[in-house]
Structure formats: structure tokens, C-alpha cells
Amino acid sequence: MSETIFSGKLPVLALRGLAVFPDQTIHFEVGRKKSVLALEEALKTEQNLLLIPQRDMTVDDPGLEDLYPIGTVAKVKQVLRAQGDVIRVLVTGICRARIQEMTHTEPYLEGLVVSVPETEVTDNLRARALRREANTIYAGYLEMSEHPAQAIQLRMLTSESCGFLADCIGQNSGIDFPDKVSLLTQLNPVRRLEMAVRFLRQEVEMLRLESEIQDKTRSNIDRQQKDYYLREQLKVIHEELGDDEETEFDAYESRIRRLKLDAASEEKVLKDLERLKKQPYGSSEAAVLRNYLDTLLDLPWNVRTKERLDVEAARKILEKDHYGLEKVKQRILETIAVRQMAPQMPPQILCLVGPPGVGKTSIAYSIARSLNRKMARISLGGVHDEADIRGHRKTYIGAMPGRILAAITQAGSSNPLLLLDEVDKMGADYRGDPSAALLEVLDAEQNKTYRDHYLEIPFDLSDVMFITTANTLDTVPRPLLDRMEVIELGSYTDEEKLMIAKNHLIPKQTVKHGLKKSQLRISEDAIREIITCYTRESGVRKLERCFAEICRKADMELLSDETVKRVSVTGANLERYLGQRKYLPDRLPSSDQIGLVTGLAWTSVGGEVLEVEVNVMEGTGKLELTGNLGDVMKESAHAALSYIRANAKTLGIAEDFYRTKDIHVHFPEGAVPKDGPSAGVTVCTAMVSALTGTTVRRDVAMTGEISIRGRVLPIGGLKEKTMAALRHGITTVIIPKENEKDLEEIDQTVRKALNFVTARTVDTVLDTALNRGTADMVPTLLNSLPEDVKGKSRKPDIRQ
């Protein structure tokens, strides 16, 4: 260690974004009041002061804690007064030093300063190599930065001090301020030079990248200017020669005029073309305008397909493509008949509603084929942004037209059929409500002048036929639903699924998997087994996947064993291809139970059987509801309990049961959420059964909302519910009287297999479901009575 070369009180000047190194001369500006006073104090004595960097440049009045630990004692060489209160100072560094103690901070900083000696190191071969590397890199840096520093470079070349070279690099290069502070605080000369070389190498690489970027930018600007001058010269040459060759702008103008737009729209588009002509070639504005004109001209303004309005041809196509769905097909044919009789009428907007997999999308494709219209599909599931429908204004980067015009461009016709799929799954957020944007699209009175935000001129949508699909209407806004005619597609019966599998699914999958008709045979009993034991759905998607799995296994079997020429799948060997059965056939309980009632529920994938269990225990009148129930279903249970309390004497129940008994109502399959009012009569029957100890007929299922006065109110989804009852082995179904008209919609197979009891009040439900002596014989007896006698009977109303 070398001896201390300085110790004493000195004025302290805090530096912002600047570090001064020993044996280096530098000039800087002083403007802060404390800094000016410290400088003036130094000039009164030996002209020495401590220059020390401060950590945070934003601190205007730094203290000792705001300063780095090491600074430089420097001698003031020159002071110049600049404009205002700014003083320009020239200083030369003397040695590194630190503040041992701050003597005072007002009116300027002053402290007891002690110099910090450098670590002594030996001059070895590694140090000499490091000095040579530093000189080489610094020479390259000066060449790239075009910084005139020959005198400094000469001093570095003649120096044999690693510390001096490091300080020269730190003071006379553009390395970052934190890196300069690191060099200032490093006391080992060799390590300091290693750090300086590393920082300088990074700076040289940065300069090289900046130079490349500048060269590329300059090259692009030169090329754009060259293109501009050449195009201007080419234009002048064409004018001088009288050449009539069509330019890009002439082509745009002729195409715009051929569109035969209305006067206002044509004027607006030509105005945009004039703006494009004035833009420099390759500018961002020119790219936006050129993209806008290309998009506008790609729209099929005057392109139409000739519509085929033939009811019989449409009937053949629908019958070929779809089995069943007779009412749906009839409604579609009626729509086509109206178009055939009155072609001038705008197309009706249809909304196909039904569970997944029942053929909503495929029916739309069949309608397009039968009408000879081109078709485009727009998936609206998960759309949250209104701009997806209306488009973005072309001033935004990456702007594009909305999905409606994009689909029309894709179809290539101004009268296509647009399928708006999953219209019930749109959302809304801070970017707008896309369902509100669809109101104009689906309104025949407004869509003649539909304006997309990107296009900015009206486009006629009155000839477009819109068909929407949805799984449920609950989430479709009322104003949007009011613009559409709803066609409901119900669940398929097992017989319909059997015919669809035979005529459509199996032939499709065999061809898809490269099988010939003679190579795979699936028996009818195997198909029925797949329908009942491997799928439980309203549509046929899972059923089709089962056939695809069988075809894959058949491919493997035919390729693995050359002796096998044909694969036969029957009910006996079905598990070999599809594995264990996923759903066992529903079986009724072996005997009638107390407090166990079978209800019927509707879900988005079809009907389900819903069992309700009730236990009655000694207690204080608590009602416990379990099974993951929604608020509406809980309210139905309370309504049922109110009815029972009001009619306890009539029902043969102790009138104080609500004070002495606890009732627990449970819906099995607790992981599945359940809600809705249609289980009201089921809960009421189960409570009465448990409170009276009367068994419930196991072959009876029921559905209906209950009021606190005992009325049975109508419900929805009757078709799906009755199909679920048939699958479960139910023979009698109790429904609200007001749903009697809906029996016409139920499949004939289901109607023949089930007895239907219509009920206005809960009394009818209880008389039918509970085993009260001969009450369980009522449905059978009434079925044998003449119609006039049935009407006079006060017993439950029975319908086949």
C-alpha cells in the first residue's frame, strides 16, 4: 500500500451523471447554488476541492448518504462565467479520496477528506498484454466514434500504468455513468483495466450496431427518394410521348367507376384516390390508402348468384342430407316457398335453436345448396368486441373490415347465405357489445345501408340471407331475438339415431378411414348398444366418434392379420372395440320407496332423470337443501313446504310437523349444478311421502312448477324430458295441464310408450304418484273408460 498523499478539509461538489478521474482534465458546468459556493470557496485557498458523484441525479440537495463512497480531489484550472448563473469550470484530477466526516452542509458542503491509495501490483506479462489490448480497442473506438483524441491516445500508448489507462478510458469514452463509477471505486489497477476493457468492448459493439441501423435507414430513404424521382421522370416521359398506357391510379379509377356506386360513395372513394396520388411512394399513409382501396374493390358489389327457388329440389336435398327433423324441414320449405312466390321480399332471418350435435350447422349448409347461394360461416362464440362485427376505422394500424364484410368477400357474392354460429355465446366488455352491433345487420329495414367502420360507405345487405344458431335462447338479448324467427331442433330419439347411424354416420366414417363396405359390418344390435351404453347426448357427435374408433380398430385388424378379410362388430364383441360400457342401462328400483321420487330435468345437451330424496327426522323444524342447488330451485322447495303446511290436515300430516320435524331434501350427483322451478312438484311429492310414510310409485316421473296455493304451472323442454323418462324405463309421466298442447310435438315412439297424466293441482300429482290404496290403479282404469266418462271424472286427466 502507498502512503496517503492528502488529508484535510475541502469543499465538496456533488456531480450529477459525471465522474472525474485522477490525472484527467475535464470541463463541466456548475449551476446549483451550493455547488457555486463550494467552487468559490476552493478558489479562495489552494483551488482544490472534492468532486464526488451522487447516486440519484434527481436529488437537488444531496447529503452524505446520497453520495458515492469515493470521489476525486481536483484542482481548478479555469473558471468562465456563462449566460445566467451557470459557471463553466476546467479541472484536473489529482487523486482518489473519500469523505471521512462531513463538517458542515450549509451554505455549501465541506468535509474532512482523506485520499484513498491504490493497491500495489507487480508489472507482469498479463498486465502488459492487458495494456496492449486496451490500446487496440480504444483505437478502434476512436475510429468508430470519430472522436479527435490523438493527444490522449499518445499518452496512453506511452504509459506503462494499468490504472492510468483505465482512468483514461473511463474519462474519454462514452461508456455508461454507472460503469464509470465502478471504475472510479475500483482500487486495484489491473482489475480496473480489465473492467475498462470489458466496458469499452461493449461500447464498440453498440457503436457498430448503431452504425448498421443508420446505414440501413439511410439506404431506405435513398431508395424511396430514388423511386420517387424515377416515377416522376417516367410520368413526364409518358406525357411527352403521348403514351396512353394505364397507370396504377388509372386502373383504380376505372375499377371504382365500374362499381356504379351512388354519387356520394363514388365521390368519397375518388377523393381517397386523389389523396393516394399525392402521397410519396412507400409512405405509411399511402400503404393505408392502397390497402383500403384494395379491400373496397375486392367486395362483390355487383356480383350475384342466380337463386334457385324450387321447393321440390330443396325437399330432396334436405331429405338426402338429414334424417328426421320433419317439422324443421317443413318450416324451411315454407320459407323457400314464400321466396318462390314473392322473390322481391327480403329473406327471412332464421334462428336454429337446439342442443349440440343435432345438425344446426349442417342444415344451414343444406339450405345454401338448395337455394344455390354461396355460403360463409361466422363463428361468434367468445366474441367480445363490437369492432369484430363493425370493423376498425382505417386510421388505426392493422385496421380491417368487420366479420360481416369479410365473410361476404370470402363468399364472393353480394347475396350469399351467412351462418352466424353460436350467437348465444357472445359477450360484452369495455370495448362494446357485439350483439348490439348485430341489430342493424339483422334488421331488414336498416341493413340496406349498412356502414362498416373501415369501409365508411354503405353496403347493401338486404339480399343476404342470415341464419343464426344457438344452444339456448336465455343468453340472446331480447331485441336481437325479436329480429329472428326461431326454429327449435329437438333431441334425436334412439330410433332416429339408429337410422342416422345406418344411413349417414357409418358410410361417412368407412370412406374417411379407407374401408370398403364389404370390409366392415356393424350389426343393428351393436348400434343400439352404442347408443344406449356408450353415448348419452341429444345429438350424434359422440356416436360418430364411436364409429370412428371402431373404423380405426378395423384398419389395424385388417393390416395386422392378412387372413382377416372382414371385420364384424356385434353386441357380443363390442367391448373389444370400444372398451367397457360407460353407461349402464337405467333400471327402476326393485320396489316402491318412501321419500324417493323421480323428476325430469332439461339441460343444454338434452333431458335428464333427476331423483329427489327426502328424509324426515325429529328436530326443530329445519329445512336442509343439498345437492348444489340454485336459488330458483331452493325457492321451489320452500314453496312446496308452504303448501304442505297450509294443507297438512287434508294431507294427513301432523299440523305441528314444522316445529317437531327436520326435513332434509337432497338431489344426488352433488357435483352437478342444478336450478330451475320444474322440480317443484317432485320435491312436494317427496316431502308428502316422507311425512306420511306413503310409498311412491317407482314407474312414475313428473315435472312441473308448484305455487304456494298448490297449482301446477307449465314448464319447458317437455320433448327432451319425456325422452329421458323413456330411457329410464318410466311408464307414466305427470305433466302440467297447460303443457297438454305440447304433446303434439313429442315423437310418436315416445307417445306410444308412455302414459301422460296432466295435472292442474298438486292433488292430482299426489293421487297419481302415491300408493294410497287403489290410487295407483287410477291411470289404468281411466284408460279403459269412454271419452265422455273421462271428462266427467274428477280423477287425474290421462293422455296417451
Side-chain angles (χ1 to χ4, degrees):
M1 297 288 290
S2 60
E3 295 182 359
T4 301
I5 62 174
F6 186 89
S7 177
K9 287 185 178 181
L10 280 180
V12 178
L13 197 155
L15 301 175
R16 289 196 283 196
L18 179 66
V20 178
F21 290 82
D23 298 322
Q24 305 298 318
T25 301
I26 185 174
H27 56 80
F28 56 90
E29 293 179 347
V30 178
R32 286 185 287 186
K33 184 176 181 181
K34 280 191 176 183
S35 300
V36 172
L37 292 173
L39 180 61
E40 291 176 349
E41 181 63 23
L43 292 174
K44 293 176 183 178
T45 56
E46 297 178 357
Q47 300 182 342
N48 291 340
L49 75 165
L50 178 65
L51 302 176
I52 186 165
Q54 67 181 65
R55 299 178 186 274
D56 188 354
M57 290 190 294
T58 61
V59 177
D60 197 53
D61 187 11
L64 182 61
E65 69 279 359
D66 297 316
L67 305 176
Y68 282 101
I70 293 179
T72 303
V73 175
K75 190 173 187 65
V76 180
K77 294 289 188 180
Q78 188 179 17
V79 176
L80 293 174
R81 292 275 180 183
Q83 292 182 352
D85 297 331
V86 177
I87 299 175
R88 193 168 187 81
V89 185
L90 180 68
V91 298
T92 299
I94 299 174
C95 64
R96 286 176 171 79
R98 60 183 174 83
I99 302 173
Q100 195 170 29
E101 180 185 353
M102 189 71 80
T103 56
H104 62 77
T105 58
E106 295 293 342
Y108 57 87
L109 299 179
E110 184 180 72
L112 181 60
V113 177
V114 180
S115 64
V116 181
E118 292 187 345
T119 306
E120 291 184 356
V121 294
T122 57
D123 189 21
N124 53 22
L125 187 63
R126 183 171 181 276
R128 290 197 295 272
L130 193 58
R131 289 197 297 271
R132 182 181 295 178
E133 175 72 8
N135 283 314
T136 303
I137 295 176
Y138 191 68
Y141 167 78
L142 293 177
E143 184 179 350
M144 295 191 70
S145 64
E146 300 178 356
H147 182 61
Q150 287 80 6
I152 297 170
Q153 190 177 9
L154 184 61
R155 290 179 65 195
M156 292 175 62
L157 289 171
T158 58
S159 175
E160 295 183 357
S161 169
C162 291
F164 176 75
L165 260 64
D167 291 344
C168 282
I169 292 173
Q171 194 71 77
N172 300 286
S173 67
I175 63 177
D176 294 335
F177 172 66
D179 297 336
K180 290 187 177 185
V181 174
S182 300
L183 293 177
L184 183 63
T185 56
Q186 176 56 256
L187 301 179
N188 188 308
V190 176
R191 291 180 183 172
R192 185 158 75 244
L193 186 55
E194 288 176 349
M195 293 169 60
V197 169
R198 185 172 72 251
F199 295 151
L200 189 59
R201 190 177 281 118
Q202 293 174 357
E203 184 66 18
V204 169
E205 181 64 20
M206 189 79 70
L207 289 174
R208 187 185 63 79
L209 292 174
E210 289 178 355
S211 178
E212 287 183 3
I213 293 171
Q214 289 175 359
D215 290 342
K216 288 181 180 179
T217 305
R218 191 179 299 112
S219 175
N220 288 335
I221 293 173
D222 292 343
R223 186 172 62 252
Q224 291 176 6
Q225 290 177 344
K226 181 180 177 182
D227 288 345
Y228 175 76
Y229 290 135
L230 288 175
R231 289 180 183 279
E232 289 298 318
Q233 290 176 1
L234 188 62
K235 187 186 297 184
V236 173
I237 291 171
H238 281 307
E239 291 176 358
E240 290 294 330
L241 294 175
D243 197 346
D244 293 332
E245 182 179 348
E246 187 179 48
T247 65
E248 176 193 18
F249 303 123
D250 294 334
Y252 272 132
E253 184 173 353
S254 61
R255 290 178 64 188
I256 291 169
R257 295 193 183 281
R258 284 201 299 269
L259 294 180
K260 293 182 171 49
L261 303 174
D262 61 87
S265 298
E266 185 173 289
E267 181 183 354
K268 194 264 178 196
V269 177
L270 291 175
K271 186 177 179 181
D272 285 334
L273 179 59
E274 289 300 320
R275 286 176 56 205
L276 176 60
K277 291 179 182 179
K278 297 174 183 178
Q279 299 299 321
Y281 185 80
S283 68
S284 60
E285 181 68 14
V288 169
L289 289 170
R290 191 172 277 105
N291 186 54
Y292 167 72
L293 292 174
D294 288 339
T295 303
L296 183 141
L297 293 170
D298 285 342
L299 281 167
W301 292 89
N302 302 312
V303 180
R304 294 173 55 86
T305 55
K306 186 176 181 181
E307 192 173 23
R308 180 174 59 224
L309 298 173
D310 188 336
V311 174
E312 289 305 317
R315 190 194 306 275
K316 291 178 182 178
I317 291 173
L318 291 173
E319 291 294 341
K320 180 183 177 182
D321 293 348
H322 297 86
Y323 180 84
L325 304 176
E326 298 302 330
K327 292 183 183 291
V328 177
K329 291 177 186 175
Q330 185 62 32
R331 181 63 192 85
I332 292 169
L333 291 175
E334 290 171 1
T335 302
I336 297 174
V338 173
R339 292 284 296 163
Q340 187 173 350
M341 296 296 291
Q344 73 281 358
M345 280 188 63
Q348 290 177 298
I349 298 167
L350 306 178
C351 179
L352 306 177
V353 181
V358 296
K360 300 184 293 296
T361 304
S362 60
I363 281 180
Y365 279 96
S366 299
I367 294 172
R369 282 181 53 208
S370 61
L371 293 175
N372 192 36
R373 284 179 179 245
K374 293 185 178 180
M375 177 170 171
R377 175 178 167 271
I378 303 172
S379 179
L380 298 178
V383 173
H384 287 76
D385 191 355
E386 178 205 1
D388 276 352
I389 306 297
R390 286 190 172 274
H392 301 79
R393 302 195 183 278
K394 66 174 182 287
T395 52
Y396 295 109
I397 295 174
M400 61 183 69
R403 296 195 181 197
I404 301 297
L405 291 189
I408 291 175
T409 303
Q410 174 191 342
S413 167
S414 62
N415 64 333
L417 186 149
L418 293 190
L419 174 64
L420 306 181
D421 217 358
E422 311 293 356
V423 75
D424 58 323
K425 295 177 179 61
M426 289 187 294
D429 59 14
Y430 66 93
R431 292 169 293 184
D433 186 355
S435 62
L438 280 178
L439 294 177
E440 180 186 1
V441 175
L442 300 181
D443 193 326
E445 299 300 324
Q446 300 179 36
N447 62 13
K448 293 180 181 178
T449 56
Y450 172 70
R451 285 180 181 268
D452 187 274
H453 287 161
Y454 182 81
L455 206 62
E456 295 180 339
I457 61 174
F459 188 90
D460 188 0
L461 298 179
S462 60
D463 285 338
V464 178
M465 184 173 186
F466 291 97
I467 294 181
T468 65
T469 69
N471 295 129
T472 177
L473 298 179
D474 296 340
T475 56
V476 180
R478 295 300 103 183
L480 186 61
L481 190 61
D482 185 57
R483 286 162 165 77
M484 303 182 291
E485 185 165 348
V486 177
I487 300 178
E488 293 188 4
L489 285 77
S491 306
Y492 290 120
T493 64
D494 289 353
E495 292 300 319
E496 288 175 334
K497 290 181 180 179
L498 175 67
M499 298 307 297
I500 291 170
K502 283 183 175 180
N503 299 334
H504 298 278
L505 303 183
I506 296 177
K508 176 183 174 182
Q509 291 300 324
T510 52
V511 172
K512 189 175 180 180
H513 289 80
L515 292 168
K516 296 179 182 177
K517 189 175 181 181
S518 59
Q519 291 178 311
L520 176 65
R521 177 183 175 275
I522 304 177
S523 65
E524 184 173 316
D525 64 322
I527 299 174
R528 291 185 183 276
E529 190 85 1
I530 295 170
I531 293 171
T532 56
C533 298
Y534 289 90
T535 65
R536 186 157 289 183
E537 57 177 343
S538 300
V540 291
R541 282 182 183 157
K542 290 183 181 177
L543 183 62
E544 186 172 9
R545 284 197 286 270
C546 289
F547 292 132
E549 186 175 352
I550 291 173
C551 290
R552 291 196 300 272
K553 299 283 178 60
D555 283 340
M556 284 293 296
E557 196 169 327
L558 292 169
L559 293 174
S560 302
D561 190 349
E562 295 183 356
T563 61
V564 176
K565 302 298 181 184
R566 182 179 185 181
V567 176
S568 295
V569 181
T570 63
N573 66 356
L574 188 59
E575 289 188 2
R576 175 181 165 190
Y577 297 92
L578 295 179
Q580 292 292 327
R581 286 161 172 75
K582 297 178 182 178
Y583 308 101
L584 296 176
D586 293 324
R587 289 186 175 88
L588 296 175
S590 57
S591 61
D592 296 343
Q593 304 286 323
I594 296 174
L596 177 62
V597 183
T598 303
L600 300 174
W602 178 92
T603 68
S604 60
V605 294
E608 293 288 342
V609 169
L610 187 69
E611 291 186 340
V612 180
E613 301 174 343
V614 174
N615 273 349
V616 176
M617 301 146 287
E618 296 296 329
T620 58
K622 294 179 182 177
L623 175 62
E624 185 76 20
L625 303 172
T626 57
N628 200 353
L629 310 183
D631 292 338
V632 176
M633 188 169 277
K634 291 178 181 178
E635 291 171 359
S636 295
H638 284 285
L641 182 61
S642 294
Y643 168 76
I644 294 171
R645 284 182 60 183
N647 298 273
K649 186 174 181 180
T650 306
L651 296 171
I653 301 172
E655 295 187 26
D656 62 345
F657 79 93
Y658 62 90
R659 292 197 301 266
T660 61
K661 305 289 185 184
D662 285 347
I663 301 176
H664 185 174
V665 181
H666 177 66
F667 290 75
E669 298 185 23
V672 180
K674 309 170 189 71
D675 204 1
S678 62
V681 294
T682 312
V683 173
C684 181
T685 304
M687 286 183 178
V688 172
S689 170
L691 288 168
T692 60
T694 308
T695 58
V696 182
R697 290 175 53 188
R698 62 184 181 277
D699 62 337
V700 172
M702 60 190 69
T703 180
E705 181 180 354
I706 188 174
S707 74
I708 60 174
R709 306 295 294 273
R711 292 181 297 131
V712 180
L713 305 179
I715 45 83
L718 186 62
K719 179 180 178 181
E720 288 78 11
K721 292 178 179 179
T722 54
M723 290 174 63
L726 180 62
R727 282 199 305 266
H728 196 70
I730 298 296
T731 60
T732 301
V733 176
I734 303 173
I735 64 173
K737 177 68 176 177
E738 293 183 38
N739 284 111
E740 185 177 6
K741 61 184 183 304
D742 298 326
L743 293 176
E744 299 297 325
E745 305 291 330
I746 295 175
D747 187 86
Q748 290 296 326
T749 305
V750 179
R751 290 184 65 183
K752 291 177 181 177
L754 297 176
N755 291 331
F756 290 93
V757 178
T758 59
R760 292 187 186 276
T761 64
V762 177
D763 294 339
T764 306
V765 177
L766 298 176
D767 289 343
T768 305
L770 299 180
N771 288 315
R772 295 173 170 173
T774 59
D776 55 325
M777 299 174 58
V778 171
T780 306
L781 293 172
L782 282 180
N783 278 335
S784 62
L785 292 176
E787 290 294 326
D788 57 338
V789 178
K790 288 183 189 178
K792 297 175 183 177
S793 174
R794 293 186 180 179
K795 295 297 181 182
D797 190 6
I798 311 296
R799 290 290 185 276
Q800 288 290 340

